[in-house]
Amino acid sequence: MSASDDAVKPRLLLPIALALVVLKGGSLPWITVRTFSGNERVYNLADLRGGMAVIMTIALVVLVGATVGVFKRLTGMTIMSLGVAALGWMAAISGILLSLLWSLIPSINVAGLDLAKATLSQGSGVVVTVVASLSLAFMVVRQVEPFKTYAPSTHLPVLPLAVLVPLLAVIACMHSEWLSLGTDGSGVQAQVAGDSLYGSGLVVLAIWLAIGLWIGALMVNRSLMISIASGLTVVVSIIVGMYAVFLWAGGRLLDWLVPAKLEKWTAVSIEPQLYVVLVSVAVTFFVSVAGLFSRMQNVKITLGLRTPGAVRFYYSDALGSVILVVLAVSFVLRVI
Amino acid sequence: MITGLLTYIAILGLTGVWILGWMGLSVVVGSFFNLPLKTVTLVGATLGPLGFIVTITIGVLESKHAGEIAALPVGGPGDAGNELEDPFS
């Protein structure tokens, strides 16, 4: 194997780090149920009977993939990617299915809980698992023809990076509380999360699709990809923006109009996440609109060219190392 | 024990059906655009519904690219005046 072959091959550290992030995501909350008594219950895959066996099976596939990857890089990465894609899709399907069901038919029972008296949200584990598994999948896909010819190696388009940061903030905040309603006497408290609003299940689905398309636009460097992602993101940001504005205005209105003597909700508080959503959605909207113009689509950042003889610096190794350090720190903190 | 085993089979089975389903759809669309089978299989299996959209996008880009190549004249601008006579005509 020549030195040039080694330079062309994808590096193995980042795929392994991403696979470990997906496995870590399996132990983070996938579903959050907030009852009107102010309690919050979280569920993940490990809470299910047989769930740990599923995680161990995926871990075994990742281990096999990493071992094969030492000898046959792309084959190993593909095995790892297929394994974690299974876990990623499990997270996505479970969360989306339940959110969709609840946002359309709120009167269902899940795990003995009457969801008419509670709100249901996806947990942070879904975001972590899906984003990491999609990133690994795109890393594999960009190595095969004809994607190879469309994948940038030394230049990255700026727009996907500029949209993904606020869009990930939006999806993370969609699963957290936007508004809290409470009563002084009985201690009853309702926490209204972004994804517990009517019809929000479909919106969450569209946001996930937009995130995936932007990750795709980062890998497939063509204006068509950016245009499709921009179009969907503009629509999604308008809808989420309207949700946030209406809830903010409604909360304010309720706070002003409902006097404290009424026995129903006496305390209305707008949570900071709602403001994060408003700002993020505004940024997402303006950047996505810019993405519809070809002049903005061609703005790129250069990662730097490798010169022969110089010490090689791999961005993927740097990112992989950072992810591994974060995982190690979270593990140590959990043990302590 | 039995519940755990059944849940394990159900979860993996459902995910397997999901992955195979999207893989199949991507293969159908990929074959329409004459994309390599290995690529569309991988894209559909790992990216699911997103892979389906990506396959369509790449298919459109590839057909556009193929169309541009087909539209090019056989002789380039530098060949003007250098046409050879066909010895078989």
Side-chain angles (χ1 to χ4, degrees), chain A residues 102-122:
Chain A
W102 189 85
S103 69
L104 297 175
I105 325 159
S107 296
I108 52 166
N109 273 288
V110 172
L113 277 170
D114 180 8
L115 291 185
K117 292 174 184 157
T119 59
L120 189 82
S121 298
Q122 284 182 5

Side-chain angles (χ1 to χ4, degrees), chain A residues 72-226:
Chain A
K72 296 272 284 176
R73 194 65 51 88
L74 193 56
T75 311
M77 279 172 66
T78 307
I79 295 170
M80 274 196 284
S81 178
L82 284 171
V84 299
L87 201 60
W89 288 124
M90 274 176 222
I93 298 167
S94 62
I96 288 168
L97 210 64
L98 275 176
S99 300
L100 198 65
L101 264 177
W102 189 85
S103 69
L104 297 175
I105 325 159
S107 296
I108 52 166
N109 273 288
V110 172
L113 277 170
D114 180 8
L115 291 185
K117 292 174 184 157
T119 59
L120 189 82
S121 298
Q122 284 182 5
S124 57
V126 176
V127 183
V128 172
T129 310
V130 174
V131 170
S133 72
L134 280 181
S135 303
L136 180 53
F138 269 111
M139 278 187 76
V140 174
V141 165
R142 74 193 291 271
Q143 301 297 328
V144 292
E145 290 293 348
F147 287 88
K148 218 173 180 173
T149 51
Y150 296 103
S153 55
T154 55
H155 294 79
L156 277 181
V158 172
L159 269 172
L161 294 172
V163 174
L164 273 171
V165 175
L167 204 56
L168 285 172
V170 170
I171 194 74
C173 289
M174 280 296 284
H175 305 312
S176 58
E177 303 90 18
W178 287 11
L179 193 76
S180 289
L181 302 165
T183 53
D184 295 332
S186 60
V188 175
Q189 196 183 31
Q191 290 178 324
V192 183
D195 59 0
S196 62
L197 301 170
Y198 191 75
S200 58
L202 287 171
V203 179
V204 169
L205 202 67
I207 298 176
W208 275 118
L209 193 59
I211 289 173
L213 284 172
W214 280 113
I215 297 176
L218 202 60
M219 303 291 178
V220 180
N221 189 15
R222 286 295 180 274
S223 56
L224 179 67
M225 197 78 188
I226 294 181

Side-chain angles (χ1 to χ4, degrees), chain B residues 3-77:
Chain B
T3 318
L5 187 68
L6 288 176
T7 312
Y8 178 85
I9 293 167
I11 291 175
L12 287 185
L14 184 72
T15 316
V17 169
W18 172 274
I19 289 174
L20 285 174
W22 285 110
M23 194 174 85
L25 280 173
S26 299
V27 167
V28 171
V29 174
S31 63
F32 177 77
F33 288 112
N34 289 324
L35 292 175
L37 186 67
K38 185 180 120 183
T39 303
V40 287
T41 309
L42 193 60
V43 170
T46 53
L47 294 175
L50 191 65
F52 181 68
I53 296 172
V54 168
T55 306
I56 295 173
T57 312
I58 291 291
V60 170
L61 285 171
E62 282 288 291
S63 2
K64 223 159 99 179
H65 184 61
E68 280 166 9
I69 289 173
L72 282 175
V74 177

Side-chain angles (χ1 to χ4, degrees), chain A residues 265-276:
Chain A
W265 307 117
T266 54
V268 180
S269 101
I270 292 166
E271 301 293 328
Q273 290 92 317
L274 183 62
Y275 297 110
V276 176

